[in-house]
Amino acid sequence: MEDLNMQRIHELLSRHPGLPQAIGMDKAIRFIRLTASLKRSIIHAQKPGYNQEDAPELLPDCVHEFLGSALDLSDEFVQGCWDTFKRTIWLYDPALHSSAADAKVFHKHAKGHNLASRSLYPPCVTCTNPLCAKDTELLRKTTKAGRKVVLYTLEDGACAAYHYKLVCPACKTTFHNNYSVYNRIRTYYPGVPDAIEVGKHQFVARDVLNMFLNLMLISWTSATNCAEVYNRSLSKSENQPKEWSFSFDLRSEHIWNGISHLAILEHYEREGEILTVPHGFDQKDRLSEPIRKRNKLFEDEGQPEWAHYCEKCVRFTLNDKGEATEMVRAIVSDGITIGHPCCGVAHCTEPLANVKRDRFCPGHQYVLKICAVERCEREVETGYLTCDDPIHRKLEETRKQADLPADLSTDAGPVSDACPQKPDSGIHRVSARFGRRQTHNEQLLVRPCGMIIARTTFYGSETVPQTVAFLKKVFKTPGSMPEFFIYDNCCGVYNHLLAQKDPLLKTVGFPVDAFHYDCKHSRTDIVCREHCNPRLFPELLFKDGTWYFNSSKCEQINVWLGGYHAILREMKAERYEFLLDELIMRKNRALKAKLEKEDVLPSYIPGLRYNS
């Protein structure tokens, strides 16, 4: 590249009166960079026979006008800049000015100076501790040398970097890139940082974590496979000097830590709060309490789109003036068989202390001394999970010989008295559970447009009373209960409410979804035919007999959720709920953006908007 000295540059610029005063170093560099990126456009605008080794005297009109607009330069000044820098631009090599090239320079020449092309500092230069009396003093480095770390980025792969920790000389608060520490309390800075600390020597860029979440959201990619994708496709060995004494490979635990921090920090940003946690915990446990709090919030209040409505999930009745006089809302519910390990005692919701090892929660550990066969209350014998009953012992030995998964219940077949006739008490089957129990299903409440507004975990079975309780809990706010509850077992719901003399029957319709009503419900069920036939509710139909609401939307959502079965099935309860809620929230965001493009007016029911 032609190396113009500053005196020669000034001479060339001075040929155009006023140009040296109109252009500074920043604008000159931008002119060179932008014009160099348009070299091919300039070449192909020249006449046939043009020698592409030489820069033309004039820029094409389109390039000339673009540069004038982008840099706020007159036509004369654009030409003056081109006359001055055209040779430099024509020999400009972008590869020599990339961040990767800069990294190589640092690796070669900055080894003894503790310098790198990327350095991570706290976002503040003075103390921000409100208890500090000298909060205007500059922060100081705790050590001359920064801590060697790896920064995982999209554009430059896994980069060598330094992390510098600063300290306030007065109050001794230490400031890191993501947080400050005072009296063993870690206080995160407001907002979400561009790089999130996920380990002692690892930081992951925010856009990389968002990419991983999108991979999980769209293609059910596990954290392990996300790490493999990054290490094989995006990690760049040229940015990884040998002087770093640890691996540059991204691991699944880094991704889980990063996703957890990103989601929690975004949540606190939406809430307008500052995240504080104990400083001494292990990285994997540091966010346990904030995660539990967010899980509880979502359990009690539903998703942020709880009060959503649009023209696909709400039907308005208009008067002669075109004004809305009545609003009809519908909600669809269904369950899907995904879950996490739970206590072996039916319907117990207490989490396991160790999901890999424990069969029972801490409060039910005494059950380990009781025979694993259902309905047997005798104590186990040493070395066995069953009592000394020969049938029970055979059941355990058969399972061991067959090498069946411990999570499955084992069945010994029917057992009855010696009489060949069926006994009055009926024939019962001896079954046992030697391993962990899984939760039964996730129950969803979905708007007919596809917006998931709430979910809950059913531990033992999907029963009508639990479903009704879930519905009432989600819509406990006055005015929020929809006019129609669509469910594949609404006839069971109707019978339950009727037996309870529940006033909900007076304000809510309970139609069975169209598919199950036509294919799965008996035509002789009078209650179902008279009270749960979806065709008996004119609000659900267009004049031509087609359905206004998509009553199968929950089934369609279940197809998406089912893809996470293998990812979720071995998780601890709090991480399971946290990830599931985060993925649902992000799916809802994507759906809302789609509904806005479709111009179906997505919004929130006045007075009911959920603020989180």
Side-chain angles (χ1 to χ4, degrees):
M1 180 188 294
E2 181 182 10
D3 190 13
L4 294 173
N5 59 43
M6 300 305 293
Q7 181 177 351
R8 180 58 178 162
I9 291 174
H10 186 266
E11 290 174 359
L12 293 172
L13 292 174
S14 297
R15 295 178 182 178
H16 302 267
L19 182 55
Q21 293 76 32
I23 186 170
M25 182 65 72
D26 180 65
K27 191 169 285 189
I29 292 173
R30 290 180 68 200
F31 183 91
I32 293 171
R33 183 172 53 82
L34 291 174
T35 312
S37 68
L38 297 171
K39 182 177 179 180
R40 291 296 298 267
S41 297
I42 297 171
I43 290 174
H44 292 292
Q46 305 305 311
K47 295 179 180 180
Y50 157 75
N51 181 9
Q52 60 179 321
E53 299 298 325
D54 299 323
E57 294 299 319
L58 299 174
L59 291 168
D61 290 344
C62 60
V63 175
H64 188 106
E65 292 174 5
F66 161 74
L67 293 170
S69 175
L71 301 174
D72 194 22
L73 294 172
S74 66
D75 289 346
E76 180 183 355
F77 286 176
V78 171
Q79 184 60 46
C81 288
W82 175 244
D83 292 341
T84 302
F85 299 116
K86 62 183 179 182
R87 185 61 183 164
T88 300
I89 291 169
W90 219 243
L91 298 175
Y92 185 90
D93 183 0
L96 296 177
H97 299 272
S98 65
S99 55
D102 292 344
K104 289 181 180 178
V105 173
F106 276 93
H107 296 166
K108 183 176 181 181
H109 300 286
K111 292 179 180 179
H113 304 287
N114 296 309
L115 299 174
S117 58
R118 293 177 181 267
S119 296
L120 299 172
Y121 280 89
C124 52
V125 294
T126 59
C127 185
T128 59
N129 187 346
L131 301 177
C132 182
K134 298 181 178 180
D135 56 2
T136 59
E137 289 190 13
L138 285 176
L139 302 176
R140 303 298 180 187
K141 291 182 179 179
T142 56
T143 58
K144 183 177 180 181
R147 187 177 76 216
K148 291 179 179 179
V149 298
V150 179
L151 174 61
Y152 298 96
T153 69
L154 276 182
E155 62 275 14
D156 296 319
C159 303
Y162 282 101
H163 174 254
Y164 291 94
K165 183 172 65 174
L166 306 182
V167 64
C168 174
C171 67
K172 305 304 179 184
T173 300
T174 55
F175 293 83
H176 301 247
N177 180 259
N178 287 181
Y179 52 84
S180 63
V181 179
Y182 179 71
N183 283 345
R184 303 297 295 169
I185 296 297
R186 177 180 292 193
T187 302
Y188 284 81
Y189 306 121
V192 184
D194 292 331
I196 292 178
E197 184 177 347
V198 299
K200 185 176 181 180
H201 296 283
Q202 292 82 22
F203 286 76
V204 182
R206 181 179 180 177
D207 53 1
V208 173
L209 293 173
N210 277 314
M211 179 191 69
F212 292 147
L213 277 167
N214 284 327
L215 284 172
M216 292 181 180
L217 188 67
I218 297 168
S219 58
W220 305 285
T221 307
S222 66
T224 300
N225 287 340
C226 283
E228 280 295 307
V229 168
Y230 186 92
N231 291 332
R232 295 189 185 192
S233 304
L234 296 174
S235 183
K236 298 179 181 179
S237 58
E238 61 268 24
N239 290 338
Q240 303 169 9
K242 296 179 180 179
E243 291 76 20
W244 262 237
S245 58
F246 41 84
S247 172
F248 280 78
D249 285 345
L250 185 64
R251 302 198 302 270
S252 60
E253 57 264 33
H254 297 149
I255 294 175
W256 284 125
N257 288 337
I259 287 174
S260 300
H261 278 78
L262 175 63
I264 284 294
L265 289 170
E266 287 180 343
H267 173 71
Y268 273 73
E269 184 180 37
R270 287 192 301 271
E271 295 286 312
E273 298 178 357
I274 300 298
L275 175 63
T276 59
V277 295
H279 182 58
F281 284 14
D282 290 339
Q283 184 77 7
K284 65 182 178 64
D285 299 323
R286 185 166 288 118
L287 295 181
S288 292
E289 186 58 29
I291 285 175
R292 279 192 287 268
K293 287 182 178 179
R294 200 192 82 158
N295 289 349
K296 187 68 168 61
L297 176 68
F298 277 53
E299 179 186 352
D300 292 342
E301 305 293 340
Q303 283 282 330
E305 293 296 322
W306 169 78
H308 163 88
Y309 81 90
C310 67
E311 291 182 348
K312 286 189 173 183
C313 61
V314 173
R315 188 174 190 179
F316 293 97
T317 301
L318 305 179
N319 60 19
D320 296 338
K321 298 180 180 179
E323 299 171 338
T325 58
E326 185 182 359
M327 178 175 66
V328 175
R329 297 162 295 178
I331 200 74
V332 186
S333 184
D334 197 18
I336 177 172
T337 309
I338 59 173
H340 58 81
C342 65
C343 178
V345 175
H347 302 288
C348 176
T349 61
E350 290 299 312
L352 300 176
N354 188 312
V355 296
K356 302 293 184 183
R357 183 180 64 244
D358 291 347
R359 293 169 54 208
F360 300 96
C361 69
H364 284 122
Q365 286 296 307
Y366 67 89
V367 184
L368 289 170
K369 298 179 181 179
I370 301 174
C371 180
V373 174
E374 294 181 3
R375 294 185 295 275
C376 179
E377 300 295 331
R378 300 174 65 184
E379 287 193 6
V380 299
E381 287 198 327
T382 304
Y384 294 93
L385 299 177
T386 54
C387 61
D388 59 359
D389 187 304
I391 296 177
H392 297 181
R393 182 61 51 77
K394 182 179 179 181
L395 200 63
E396 183 176 1
E397 292 174 350
T398 300
R399 182 189 68 87
K400 290 180 179 179
Q401 293 171 2
D403 197 24
L404 295 174
D407 289 12
L408 296 180
S409 60
T410 307
D411 194 336
V415 176
S416 64
D417 299 332
C419 178
Q421 302 298 320
K422 180 179 178 180
D424 294 337
S425 59
I427 296 177
H428 65 276
R429 308 178 75 89
V430 177
S431 60
R433 183 175 295 275
F434 296 103
R436 302 166 305 170
R437 183 187 293 270
Q438 293 281 124
T439 57
H440 186 269
N441 71 283
E442 290 299 310
Q443 196 74 14
L444 303 178
L445 288 175
V446 181
R447 300 284 184 191
C449 63
M451 196 69 72
I452 307 168
I453 65 164
R455 63 143 203 97
T456 193
T457 303
F458 286 173
Y459 279 75
S461 58
E462 182 183 345
T463 64
V464 166
Q466 287 185 100
T467 304
V468 171
F470 178 40
L471 175 69
K472 290 182 176 181
K473 179 179 179 181
V474 172
F475 296 109
K476 60 182 179 292
T477 304
S480 64
M481 182 65 72
E483 284 68 38
F484 290 96
F485 177 66
I486 304 173
Y487 181 46
D488 57 11
N489 189 23
C490 258
C491 45
V493 171
Y494 183 89
N495 286 326
H496 172 74
L497 295 175
L498 189 64
Q500 299 292 321
K501 297 181 180 179
D502 197 308
L504 203 61
L505 286 175
K506 297 179 181 179
T507 57
V508 179
F510 293 93
V512 174
D513 69 277
F515 170 77
H516 282 89
Y517 183 81
D518 290 336
C519 302
K520 302 294 181 71
H521 283 245
S522 172
R523 297 184 179 277
T524 61
D525 188 333
I526 297 176
V527 172
C528 183
R529 293 288 155 177
E530 291 184 353
H531 299 283
C532 302
N533 183 349
R535 293 182 177 83
L536 296 181
F537 300 96
E539 298 91 340
L540 305 182
L541 297 165
F542 284 110
K543 291 182 179 179
D544 62 2
T546 57
W547 300 107
Y548 185 90
F549 297 118
N550 182 356
S551 63
S552 297
K553 201 63 186 181
C554 224
E555 299 275 359
Q556 295 162 6
I557 294 294
N558 284 346
V559 173
W560 169 70
L561 271 180
Y564 296 107
H565 174 72
I567 297 174
L568 297 169
R569 70 183 308 272
E570 293 296 325
M571 283 188 179
K572 292 178 65 176
E574 67 180 32
R575 175 179 281 189
Y576 169 96
E577 294 174 356
F578 182 73
L579 179 62
L580 203 53
D581 285 337
E582 183 68 21
L583 291 170
I584 288 174
M585 182 168 61
R586 287 175 175 261
K587 185 174 180 63
N588 283 346
R589 287 179 194 164
L591 176 60
K592 184 179 178 183
K594 180 182 178 183
L595 293 173
E596 288 173 346
K597 290 181 180 179
E598 294 176 356
D599 200 25
V600 293
L601 308 177
S603 186
Y604 301 95
I605 299 172
L608 296 180
R609 183 170 182 177
Y610 170 56
N611 293 320
S612 178

